[in-house]
Amino acid sequence: MPARPRALGALVALFTAGYLAPYLLPTLVGRLSAGLGLSSAQAGLIGSVLLLGSSCAGFALASRVERIGPRGAARLGLACMALGYGTAAASASLWPVVAGAVLGGFGSGTATAVAASGISGRPDPHRAATLGLLTVSATAGGLYLTLPHLGTGHALPFAAIAAAALLVWPLTGWLPGGTAALRRTPVGPLPSRRAGAVLAASILCWSMAQNALWGVSGRIGLTQAGLSEVALGLVFAVALGAGLAGVTAAGALGPRLGRAAPIGVGTALIAGCVVLSAAADDAGSFATGEILWNALYPVVLSHLLGLAATLDPRGRWAVLVGSASSLGVACGPVTGSLLSEAVGYPGMGLALGALLLVVAAPMTGVARRGAFSAGPLGSGAGVRPLSEEVSPSGV
């Protein structure tokens, strides 16, 4: 019966729609700054407000998706995305754009929460998460190639996200309409609280550090590395293409390397890429840093998502960790803008790289416990990640 494959397709589509705004963050922030005459910090703050709305939705819905019903929750999220981002696209005034970004961000977080909850209950959540990352990377890469040729201004990227929400809407019919279909286990207390809390706090910092750079990458490319907007869009598209390769590799390897090594070593390598990108003063070094970074990011993210999913088969930790990641993503643009204004782009890169090295240790510790524990973390029976959620691309 095709119900299960169709349900997976709907979850992947929701995942893609929910993560599209963080993946398009550099062009959103850059175009808001240019189109509305905002400073880099002001534009970054709007990006942070958008992503904060997404995070709030995740925290609010972490334990409520099953009670509301996945189909209804998904449609609510997509409607908020279409209305909010559509309003932001149609307005040339500051406050309607801000209001639309907040409403759209709440919708993105709702869609992501439904997707994360559903993916956690599948037999292989790592595979489903990598499929979602593959799809959103391909979609965002196509938009980075297309949008510079269609015009300038903030309307186009906001309209593209609103259109994505409308395209996903028909697929929500493949999701369960009630609550009974998703009740896989009896309701009980949240398991693995210490491991989940450590993972959530660490991934908040992990996401914030990367999205602080991602939020200002467009300005680094344009002002410090000397790229045109078309060339910058090409770099981002190639970088997201490298992300596709990273996602494909992560899906092919699956859990063969465990989770500790990809998370720990991968985060250390990402820290180096962040330093390189932030200090780039020519097209070659900027492109190298961005491409290597985006190739590594989804590999680590897919393992973090898989790890969070093992913490609770009902998906509560997957949503909570994903929301913590979204909160870090939300803090990223304004953090990157303020840091870059205070110490310059290279100094910002050093600070963010150091933060990534610090948080690599606790995340690796949670992953190692999951690999060697005889309890739920090891078996996956009681613990099952993020959702992005993030992107650098997550971004």
Side-chain angles (χ1 to χ4, degrees):
M1 186 174 178
R4 291 178 65 87
R6 285 183 175 182
L8 176 60
L11 292 172
V12 169
L14 279 172
F15 187 101
T16 301
Y19 270 103
L20 196 54
Y23 268 71
L24 293 179
L25 192 62
T27 193
L28 285 171
V29 171
R31 288 180 178 229
L32 281 170
S33 179
L36 297 179
L38 304 175
S39 68
S40 59
Q42 289 171 328
L45 181 59
I46 294 178
S48 292
V49 166
L50 183 160
L51 296 168
L52 184 60
S54 178
S55 174
C56 289
F59 284 121
L61 294 172
S63 60
R64 295 178 174 88
V65 171
E66 294 185 2
R67 278 181 277 174
I68 298 172
R71 185 188 302 164
R75 288 178 174 175
L76 172 64
L78 294 174
C80 290
M81 288 179 64
L83 179 60
Y85 294 131
T87 299
S91 178
S93 301
L94 176 61
W95 291 112
V97 170
V98 173
V102 172
L103 180 60
F106 184 86
S108 292
T110 302
T112 301
V114 176
S117 179
I119 286 172
S120 294
R122 299 195 66 83
D124 188 354
H126 181 269
R127 179 174 174 271
T130 55
L131 184 58
L133 288 170
L134 185 68
T135 306
V136 71
S137 295
T139 303
L143 288 172
Y144 273 117
L145 284 175
T146 305
L147 290 177
H149 299 284
L150 299 179
T152 59
H154 67 276
L156 284 171
F158 277 122
I161 303 171
L166 294 176
L167 290 173
V168 171
W169 180 283
L171 303 183
T172 59
W174 295 345
L175 295 173
T179 61
L182 286 186
R183 287 200 178 121
R184 299 174 292 273
T185 58
V187 176
L190 192 64
S192 304
R193 294 193 177 189
R194 180 185 298 178
V198 169
L199 184 61
S202 299
I203 208 165
L204 187 155
C205 297
W206 186 86
S207 296
M208 182 186 70
Q210 295 184 76
N211 283 277
L213 176 62
W214 187 243
V216 299
S217 284
R219 298 201 294 277
I220 293 174
L222 292 172
T223 62
Q224 183 170 281
L227 279 70
S228 67
E229 185 175 358
V230 172
L232 181 66
L234 179 60
V235 169
F236 285 151
V238 173
L240 290 173
L244 293 176
V247 173
T248 303
L253 288 173
R256 292 185 183 91
L257 298 179
R259 298 200 194 278
I263 290 173
V265 176
T267 297
L269 293 174
I270 286 172
C273 294
V274 167
V275 173
L276 175 61
S277 291
D281 57 4
D282 61 81
S285 56
F286 177 76
T288 299
E290 293 288 319
I291 291 169
L292 290 177
W293 173 29
N294 279 268
L296 291 165
Y297 173 87
V299 177
V300 180
L301 179 59
S302 67
H303 283 88
L304 289 170
L305 289 174
L307 178 58
T310 61
L311 294 174
D312 177 23
R314 293 177 60 83
R316 289 169 291 180
W317 273 122
V319 177
L320 287 170
V321 170
S323 298
S325 175
S326 295
L327 182 59
V329 170
C331 297
V334 68
T335 300
S337 296
L338 293 174
L339 270 177
S340 62
E341 289 183 357
V343 298
Y345 293 126
M348 176 198 69
L350 289 172
L352 297 177
L355 178 59
L356 285 169
L357 292 177
V358 169
V359 300
M363 293 193 304
T364 304
V366 174
R368 286 177 61 83
R369 180 191 167 193
F372 297 110
S373 173
L377 265 172
S379 66
V383 290
R384 275 208 180 207
L386 182 198
S387 124
E388 29 283 336
E389 258 158 6
V390 74
S391 94
S393 327
V395 179

